[in-house]
Amino acid sequence: MLELKNLHAEVEGEGIEILKGVNLKVNKGEIHAIMGPNGSGKSTLAKVIAGHPEYEVTGGDIIYKGESILEMDPDERAHAGVFLAFQYPVEVPGVTNTTLLRESYNTIAASRGREELDPLEFDDYIREKLDLVEMNPDFLERSVNTGFSGGEKKRNEIFQMAVLQPTLSLLDETDSGLDIDALRIVSEGINKLHGEEDAVVLITHYQRLLNYIVPDHVHVMLGGKIVKSGGKELAFELEEKGYDWLESLAKVNGEAK
Amino acid sequence: MSETKALESMIGEEYKYGFTTDVEYEDFPKGINEDVVRLISEKKNEPEWMTEFRLKAYRAWTEMEEPSWFNATYEKPKFDTLQFYSAPKNKPKLNSLDEVDPNIRETYEKLGIPLDEQKMLAGVAVDAVFDSVSIFTTFKEKLAEAGVIFCSISEAVQDYPELVKKYMGSVVPARDNFYAALNSAVFSDGSFCYVPKDTICPMELSTYFRINNMNSGQFERTLIIAEENSHVSYLEGCTAPMFDEHQLHAAVVELVALDNAEIKYSTIQNWYSGDEEGRGGIYNFVTKRGACRGKNSKISWTQLETGSAVTLKYPSVILQGDNSVGEFFSVAVTNKRQQADTGTKMIHIGKNTKSTIISKGISAGRSDNSYRGQVKISKKADNARNYSQCDSMLIGQTCGAHTFPYIESANPTGKIEHEATTSRVGEDQIFYLQQRGISEDDAISLIVNGFCKEVLKELPMEFAVEANKLLGIKLEGSVG
Ligand SMILES: Nc1ncnc2c1ncn2[C@@H]1O[C@H](COP(=O)(O)OP(=O)(O)O)[C@@H](O)[C@H]1O
Ligand SMILES: [Mg+2]
C-alpha cells in the first residue's frame, strides 16, 4: 500500500531539513503506530505524504499503490484514497461540515468513476456515519471546525474519515484532546472502519490509544528518522523506559553519517 | 508551486465579456462645453426645463474640483477628448424587438441576457442600455397592467415630465459632488421606475448596462419612486469590452420611498477591470443614494462589486421618515491591480430609524480594497440604531485591505455598534480542503462563498447562481 524509501524533506525555501531518510512499509489490512517525542517529525511526515506545499521532498520516494505520488497535488492524492486526520484541524468559517463533505465525497466519487449523491441521498448517507462516532447532528450545519473544542475537532476528523472511506488513513495525534469516553468511542469507530482493504497509520505520543486500537507494527521516530521498529510490545517498552532510552540508542546506531 | 501556475493559466480567459460589438455610431463632437450639453438635450428632444437642469449642473461642475480624498490613485479622465454621448446609428427608439440592431441583440444574447420575453428569466423585466441609449424594455405591458411604469429615463422625460421634474435631483442634487454634477449635465439614459400606491411590483426589474464604444463615457441616470405601501425589487448588471484605455462610467441613482414603501436595489457590477499591469478598465465613479422619506419605509442596497479598474461608490440611505430602515449589504472583490474604495452612508434623521451595514471585502493579486462608511445620527433622531460589520479577507501577500468607519452621533439615545475583522485565506485552509479532495480553485471558491454568504443571500434568487459563478471566476488561481 505505502512505501517510503529513504525519504528526505525540508521546509520549502528555507533549507531546514526535517525528514532525514525515513523508510517505512505499510501493507493492506495493517495498522501501524508511529511514536516519538515532540518535534521528531511525525506530523511533518504525515503532511509530506499528503502533499503539503510547505515541504519539499529533497530525496527518496513515496510509493503508494505501486506508484510514486511525489508529483501529485494534494487533492489528487486524496482522490487516490489518502486521508490525513490533522493534529490541528483547520477552521473554515462560513463553510458547513455538510457542504465540505458533500463536495469532497462527490469530487472523490467522480474521480473514481463512482456515482455522485444528491443532497438528500447524501444526507441519509452521512447520518449513518454520525452514529459511528456518536456525533451530534447539529455539527453538520456548523462551519467546519469553527469554535469546536479540541476534542470535537478530533472527532470531526474521524467522522470525515468515515464519510470519505479512504484506503490509507494517517491519523495524527487523534487521541490528544479526547477525554476517556470520547477516546473509546472514536477508537471503536476507527476499528470498525478498518478492514482488509485499507491501512491505518496512527501517530501518537502515548501508549494509551494503543490499548484501544491494537497496532500490527510500532515505529519510533527520532530526529526525522525511524530509529526502531517492532511489534505492539515496543510501545510498552517505550512507555516504561521513556524516550531517553531511545536517544541513547540512536547515538549507538551512529547518528553521524 | 502549482499555485502560481494556476494563476497564470487563468489570466487569459478570465474576463468573458470583453468582446466589442460592431455598430455604427452617430457622429458627436468630443469634449464638453455648453453647446455640447445643449446638443445632447436637443438630440433627446428634451423640454426646456430639462435643458436648464443640465446647463445649471454644467455650470456648477465647471466650478468644482475633481475629488481626491479616497484611497486610490489613477490618471484623471481627459474631459476634453472624451465623448460624452454615444448612440448607435440605427433608430434608437424601438417598439418591437425586431427593430433592434441584430448586432446589439446578439451582444445581449452573448451576455446571457435574451431580450426576447419568451426566453427571459421567469418574472424578470429587463431594460437594456447600450452605451448611452436604452435599447429595449421587456414586459412593459404586463407591468403597465399593475400600474408600474418601467421605461428609460429619456422616455420618462417625455411621457411623465411631472414625476421626473418632482424627483430628479431631489435626492442627489446636481451640486452634490463633481461626478454627480457632470452626470446631471450630460446623462444620456438609464432606467425610470414608478410604483404607484398600494402596489407590489409583480416582477423583478432589471437593467443591463453595456459600454461598447471605446471613446465614450457612460453617464446613466436611474430614478426609482415607490409610493405609499408599495414594493419593488430592482437589479442592475454591468459589463464592458476590454480596451487598453480607461473608460469613465459616472452614474447617478436616486431612490425615493414614501410611507411604508420598500425598495430593494441590487447590483452585480462586472465592468472590465483592466489587465495585470493595470492597463485599461473602467473608472466606476457613481453616486447612489436613497431617501426613506416616508414613515416605516425601507431601502436596501445589495451589491456585488467585482469589476472596474477603480471604483468609488457609496450607496447611501437618508432615513428621514420615523421608523424607517436602511440596509447595505456589500461584497467587493478586487484582484490584479484593481482599486476599490466603497462603502455607505447612513444618515439618521427620523426617530427610531435603524440601519444595518454588512460589508465583505475580498482582496487578491496586487489590488487595494477599502471600506469607507459613515453613520450619522442627527439631533432629532431619538433611538436610532446602527449595526455595522466590516470583514476583510486577504488572498495572497501582495494585496491590501483598509477600513475607514466614520461615526457621528448628536443624540445620546442613539446606539451604534461596529465590528470589524480581517482574515487571510491561509495555505493551511486550502491544504485542508485539498486534502479532502477539493481542487485549489474550488477551495478558494468555497472559502470565499462562505465568507460572503450573508450578503449573497440578499440577492434576488434568479441572480444568486450567477453571483456565485462570478465570484469563482474572479478569484480563480488567485493564491500566489
Ligand atoms: N514549516 C516549518 N518551518 C520551520 N520548522 C518546521 C516547520 N514544520 C516543522 N518544523 C520543525 O520540524 C520539527 C518536526 O515538527 P513536527 O513534524 O511537527 O513534529 P512532531 O509532530 O513529531 O511533534 C520541529 O522541530 C518543528 O519545529
Ligand atoms: Mg505533531
PDB file of all heavy atoms in Angstrom, chain A residues 42-43 87 172-173, ligand 2:
ATOM      1  N   LYS A  42       6.974  13.690  13.200  1.00  0.00           N
ATOM      2  CA  LYS A  42       5.829  12.822  12.899  1.00  0.00           C
ATOM      3  C   LYS A  42       4.782  13.537  12.047  1.00  0.00           C
ATOM      4  O   LYS A  42       4.316  13.020  11.033  1.00  0.00           O
ATOM      5  CB  LYS A  42       5.180  12.325  14.211  1.00  0.00           C
ATOM      6  CG  LYS A  42       6.139  11.633  15.151  1.00  0.00           C
ATOM      7  CD  LYS A  42       5.472  11.127  16.424  1.00  0.00           C
ATOM      8  CE  LYS A  42       4.852  12.212  17.307  1.00  0.00           C
ATOM      9  NZ  LYS A  42       5.841  13.130  17.919  1.00  0.00           N
ATOM     10  N   SER A  43       4.400  14.749  12.479  1.00  0.00           N
ATOM     11  CA  SER A  43       3.390  15.490  11.714  1.00  0.00           C
ATOM     12  C   SER A  43       3.912  15.855  10.330  1.00  0.00           C
ATOM     13  O   SER A  43       3.188  15.795   9.342  1.00  0.00           O
ATOM     14  CB  SER A  43       2.983  16.765  12.443  1.00  0.00           C
ATOM     15  OG  SER A  43       2.293  16.438  13.625  1.00  0.00           O
ATOM     16  N   GLN A  87      -3.494  16.839  13.099  1.00  0.00           N
ATOM     17  CA  GLN A  87      -3.243  17.074  14.526  1.00  0.00           C
ATOM     18  C   GLN A  87      -3.950  18.361  14.950  1.00  0.00           C
ATOM     19  O   GLN A  87      -4.550  18.412  16.015  1.00  0.00           O
ATOM     20  CB  GLN A  87      -1.732  17.197  14.783  1.00  0.00           C
ATOM     21  CG  GLN A  87      -1.411  17.463  16.247  1.00  0.00           C
ATOM     22  CD  GLN A  87       0.087  17.498  16.532  1.00  0.00           C
ATOM     23  OE1 GLN A  87       0.913  17.453  15.621  1.00  0.00           O
ATOM     24  NE2 GLN A  87       0.428  17.556  17.808  1.00  0.00           N
ATOM     25  N   ASP A 172      -3.127  11.737  12.823  1.00  0.00           N
ATOM     26  CA  ASP A 172      -2.079  12.445  13.557  1.00  0.00           C
ATOM     27  C   ASP A 172      -2.584  12.889  14.931  1.00  0.00           C
ATOM     28  O   ASP A 172      -3.338  13.850  15.034  1.00  0.00           O
ATOM     29  CB  ASP A 172      -1.598  13.648  12.725  1.00  0.00           C
ATOM     30  CG  ASP A 172      -0.322  14.261  13.291  1.00  0.00           C
ATOM     31  OD1 ASP A 172       0.172  13.782  14.325  1.00  0.00           O
ATOM     32  OD2 ASP A 172       0.177  15.226  12.671  1.00  0.00           O
ATOM     33  N   GLU A 173      -2.137  12.193  15.951  1.00  0.00           N
ATOM     34  CA  GLU A 173      -2.494  12.527  17.340  1.00  0.00           C
ATOM     35  C   GLU A 173      -3.996  12.712  17.513  1.00  0.00           C
ATOM     36  O   GLU A 173      -4.446  13.672  18.147  1.00  0.00           O
ATOM     37  CB  GLU A 173      -1.764  13.788  17.799  1.00  0.00           C
ATOM     38  CG  GLU A 173      -0.278  13.668  17.567  1.00  0.00           C
ATOM     39  CD  GLU A 173       0.564  13.994  18.784  1.00  0.00           C
ATOM     40  OE1 GLU A 173       0.001  14.208  19.870  1.00  0.00           O
ATOM     41  OE2 GLU A 173       1.798  13.991  18.636  1.00  0.00           O
TER      42      GLU A 173
HETATM   43 MG    MG C   2       2.851  16.540  15.574  1.00  0.00          MG
END
